[in-house]
Amino acid sequence: MSMMHRIAMMLALLAVPHLAHAKTRAVWVGAVRYLDADSTAASATTFDDAAWQRRSFHELPRAAGVRWVRARVRVDRPAPQHAPSGYAIEPAGVFIAALASHELWWDGVFIGAGGRVGSTPAEETPGPIEMVHAIPDSLATRGEHVLALRMSSFHQRAAFPNPYWWIGVGSYGELLLACKRSAWGELISLSGILVGALLAFATYLMHRRDRAAFMLAALGGAAALLLAAEAWRPLVGYPYPLHATRVVVLTTLTWVVGALLVGFVVARYSMRGNRPALGVALAALTIAPFLSPSWDMKLILMHAVALVFAVIWTARAAFARRRGAWLALIGTGAALVALLVDMPGFLDRGYYYAMDAMLVALLIGHLLEWRDQVSAADRARARSASLEAELLKRHLQPHFLMNTLTAIAGWIEEDPPTAVRMIGALGDELRVLTRVSDRVLVPLAEELRLCRAHLETMSLRRDVSYGLEIAGIEESAMLPPAVIHTLIENAVTHGTQGAGVVTMRLRAVRDGGRCRYEFVSPCGAAADRVEAGTGTRYVVARLREAWGDDWSMEQGEAAGDWRVTIDVPHVVMGAEAPAVRATPGVVAASGSRGATPDVPPRAAPDTRPAR
């Protein structure tokens, strides 16, 4: 089914509840008279109820015992052809919806009961929350009639502000359909919700690291459960004491749906401030139901909180040109508009159509980014394989080995112990390099081990004391292999020449779920500022392979030093890395050192100064 067909179907479905409501030609009772006392005489047509209190039926307070309710209803509907004179359309019926057991009288004649009314909890048998009674043909004449209800509600499990809802008089068949019709639209929208959830789950199975796909599937599943709980009353019905259980289930599922919607947009469109924003949204979602005594308003407030947050977050993502964000913004925005336009009827009419359309928009946007993500991951793997080969090749190139072996030969004659150290350092460097080159992330401990081996080799080759000072480093933190090693190579190749001691500094700064690495090295007097060389390209490729677009790198000269800052998500050894995004990260530079050196692999942290 094309997207346009899907949208057209959604628009058509939005009209179903309104058409259904229009077909229910019933007389809905408004004002009634009531008395909180028991009297069998109150069922008689001639009983004088003028002294009773008068109020709208849906505004009646909860009763402490038996309650009588009386109303006068006029039936003016035309009679069908060949019907006896004065008869209304047959059969006629009375619809009762209340959190109470009841007995119904029509013009003084007992019609039926929902449960058993009692003056104590033991005497009462809870009745159904909704019920339609058929009126005998002989009583279904046109004109005014007296309707009397005897009611009790000892088994209410929660204090509802409005435990009495509707009394309707009309065609028995239409009233029966009216009970079921409100659930038709919910069941129709269920197909779209479940299909969306299954597609999202299939996407997750193909890419297990994509938490956003799992959240989208869970969102669809929770919305389907919420729909089933909402349709429980009109489709199946239940004794009125179970209504408290149902509203608790509805409230819980509404919170879960809101939390999953918030979690999905944050996971799919990851941006700065993820965790604080998610915490604020979940806190607001939790507080919202306590702001109103009305259970319907509790649900509406939770939906409003989740949708407002989703609209704001997807709008940020859309303006940041994130793939699929505009579709997500349209879907969540349409759902929010539906809530604001028809707030009283949103839970019964608009929500499930809005949820269906929103899931379609979210799923399409997710699949678009997922497709780009898979393509980006494939390209990143291809680049990674090429860089691994390049890395090993460059370290085994004749000039590298020639210079190193020449230095070793000189030290063998002049200082054999130093030659042994140099051979050991070179072996350590090549050994670590080979071990980490095919990984996406390595612990910093291993990365720094590689860096030390290289610094020791270069110190012995050039007769310069190269050192690395580290601060704030977490050994289990993960980085792409040889990223720091490449920055050190660049510093050694293009930094200060001829100095007896060269000290570089590496500092890590945690900021919530992210970590910023700052590498500072002395700036050579003749350091060129040209386009990024192989080393920078290697670092960018490795960051993109590991983090997609969720990283940034800035480099340039500052106060006589060369400063490189890399900002990435904080991942520790054993934790799963996030899925790769399609859009590349940001690289900013006030200038790059000339042709950056060898292109190393993956490594990890250390707390000792390196030599």
Side-chain angles (χ1 to χ4, degrees):
M1 182 182 292
S2 70
M3 184 177 176
M4 292 303 297
H5 288 163
R6 182 89 183 189
I7 294 173
M9 186 179 76
M10 291 300 144
L11 293 175
L13 290 178
L14 284 172
V16 170
H18 301 282
L19 293 175
H21 180 72
K23 291 180 180 179
T24 307
R25 294 170 294 176
V27 176
W28 299 101
V29 175
V32 299
R33 292 190 179 275
Y34 70 99
L35 177 68
D36 289 336
D38 198 5
S39 172
T40 55
S43 63
T45 304
T46 57
F47 181 82
D48 185 7
D49 57 16
W52 289 12
Q53 297 184 67
R54 190 172 187 273
R55 185 177 291 189
S56 293
F57 182 70
H58 68 273
E59 295 178 351
L60 293 181
R62 181 177 178 177
V66 174
R67 168 175 287 170
W68 277 90
V69 175
R70 288 170 56 93
R72 284 173 169 74
V73 181
R74 185 168 187 82
V75 178
D76 291 326
R77 303 176 63 194
Q81 192 176 9
H82 310 302
S85 176
Y87 274 64
I89 293 179
E90 299 173 4
V94 176
F95 171 67
I96 309 293
L99 297 178
S101 302
H102 68 270
E103 297 170 354
L104 171 65
W105 278 264
W106 181 271
D107 289 339
V109 178
F110 179 73
I111 301 299
R116 184 179 68 186
V117 179
S119 56
T120 66
E123 292 180 5
E124 181 192 351
T125 300
I129 195 168
E130 293 178 345
M131 190 171 183
V132 179
H133 297 274
I135 304 299
D137 294 349
S138 60
L139 301 177
T141 57
R142 287 179 293 166
E144 189 175 77
H145 300 271
V146 175
L147 180 153
L149 288 171
R150 180 172 178 255
M151 312 179 82
S152 64
S153 54
F154 289 103
H155 294 275
Q156 285 190 33
R157 296 177 179 174
F160 292 92
N162 302 109
Y164 302 92
W165 299 336
W166 301 103
I167 301 175
V169 180
S171 166
Y172 180 75
E174 288 186 6
L175 289 173
L176 281 178
L177 286 177
C179 294
K180 312 297 182 185
R181 191 176 287 134
S182 62
W184 290 357
E186 297 166 6
L187 294 180
I188 292 172
S189 65
L190 176 62
S191 62
I193 291 174
L194 289 179
V195 168
L198 289 174
L199 285 174
F201 188 68
T203 303
Y204 168 72
L205 291 179
M206 290 185 288
H207 193 55
R208 294 296 182 92
R209 294 196 306 175
D210 191 352
R211 290 173 296 176
F214 180 80
M215 286 187 179
L216 185 58
L219 173 61
L225 290 176
L226 182 58
L227 181 151
E230 190 68 52
W232 177 15
R233 188 183 84 194
L235 285 182
V236 180
Y238 48 84
Y240 79 83
L242 291 181
H243 188 65
T245 302
R246 177 174 173 267
V247 295
V248 170
V249 171
L250 287 174
T251 303
T252 302
L253 287 174
T254 299
W255 188 94
V256 171
V257 168
L260 287 171
L261 176 60
V262 167
F264 168 75
V265 296
V266 169
R268 171 49 56 206
Y269 307 109
S270 178
M271 294 177 283
R272 285 187 179 276
N274 279 5
R275 290 191 177 184
L278 184 60
V280 169
L282 293 179
L285 200 61
T286 303
I287 294 171
F290 297 98
L291 301 180
S292 173
S294 167
W295 286 95
D296 282 351
M297 187 55 65
K298 292 176 188 290
L299 306 185
I300 287 174
L301 287 174
M302 284 191 285
H303 286 310
V305 168
L307 289 173
V308 167
F309 178 87
V311 166
I312 293 173
W313 196 264
T314 53
R316 284 186 61 194
F319 284 107
R321 300 185 178 181
R322 296 292 298 274
R323 180 75 158 162
W326 280 108
L327 275 173
L329 176 59
I330 291 171
T332 54
L336 181 60
V337 169
L339 184 149
L340 296 176
V341 169
D342 186 21
M343 190 173 294
F346 180 72
L347 297 178
D348 295 325
R349 292 190 292 271
Y351 173 68
Y352 296 101
Y353 307 112
M355 175 60 73
D356 202 356
M358 183 175 71
L359 279 176
V360 170
L362 293 176
L363 181 61
I364 292 174
H366 174 81
L367 291 177
L368 287 174
E369 185 167 354
W370 180 73
R371 183 189 64 182
D372 292 348
Q373 181 184 96
V374 171
S375 299
D378 290 340
R379 290 193 300 269
R381 281 191 290 270
R383 283 194 302 268
S384 177
S386 173
L387 287 166
E388 288 162 15
E390 175 72 13
L391 172 65
L392 296 175
K393 181 181 71 174
R394 288 175 62 85
H395 279 78
L396 296 176
Q397 278 180 346
H399 80 271
F400 177 81
L401 290 179
M402 184 187 308
N403 293 338
T404 304
L405 293 175
T406 299
I408 291 174
W411 286 114
I412 287 176
E413 294 181 359
E414 299 177 14
D415 190 351
T418 300
V420 172
R421 287 177 55 200
M422 194 169 186
I423 292 171
L426 177 61
D428 287 344
E429 181 177 3
L430 294 177
R431 191 179 304 111
V432 175
L433 198 60
T434 304
R435 185 170 63 245
V436 304
S437 62
D438 61 345
R439 302 186 205 169
V440 176
L441 293 172
V442 296
L444 272 173
E446 199 162 0
E447 174 77 13
L448 292 181
R449 191 174 301 118
L450 176 65
C451 295
R452 287 197 189 90
H454 183 71
L455 288 174
E456 185 170 4
T457 300
M458 297 308 296
S459 295
L460 295 171
R461 270 183 53 181
R462 296 191 173 184
D463 197 19
V464 173
S465 179
Y466 289 105
L468 177 64
E469 295 178 355
I470 58 177
I473 296 297
E474 185 178 353
E475 290 196 354
S476 59
M478 307 292 280
L479 270 183
V483 166
I484 305 301
H485 179 265
T486 300
L487 299 180
I488 288 176
E489 280 191 312
N490 190 48
V492 170
T493 303
H494 301 286
T496 303
Q497 304 294 328
V501 177
V502 175
T503 301
M504 303 167 222
R505 299 186 301 278
L506 176 65
R507 184 168 72 106
V509 180
R510 283 284 305 278
D511 182 11
R514 305 190 66 81
C515 191
R516 186 175 68 255
Y517 294 94
E518 298 175 353
F519 178 78
V520 179
S521 62
C523 203
D528 297 327
R529 300 294 180 260
V530 297
E531 293 298 322
T534 306
T536 299
R537 290 197 300 271
Y538 172 82
V539 172
V540 169
R542 282 299 195 186
L543 292 172
R544 184 179 299 150
E545 178 192 18
W547 311 115
D549 64 342
D550 196 14
W551 60 272
S552 65
M553 184 174 81
E554 299 178 355
Q555 57 182 345
E557 189 174 354
D561 291 326
W562 187 261
R563 186 181 300 271
V564 181
T565 302
I566 298 175
D567 183 272
V568 295
H570 178 68
V571 175
V572 296
M573 188 164 48
E576 190 176 20
V580 176
R581 305 288 182 191
T583 311
V586 178
V587 181
S590 60
S592 299
R593 298 189 177 191
T596 23
D598 311 334
V599 184
R602 312 161 188 176
D606 206 324
T607 55
R608 299 174 298 157
R611 284 280 176 195

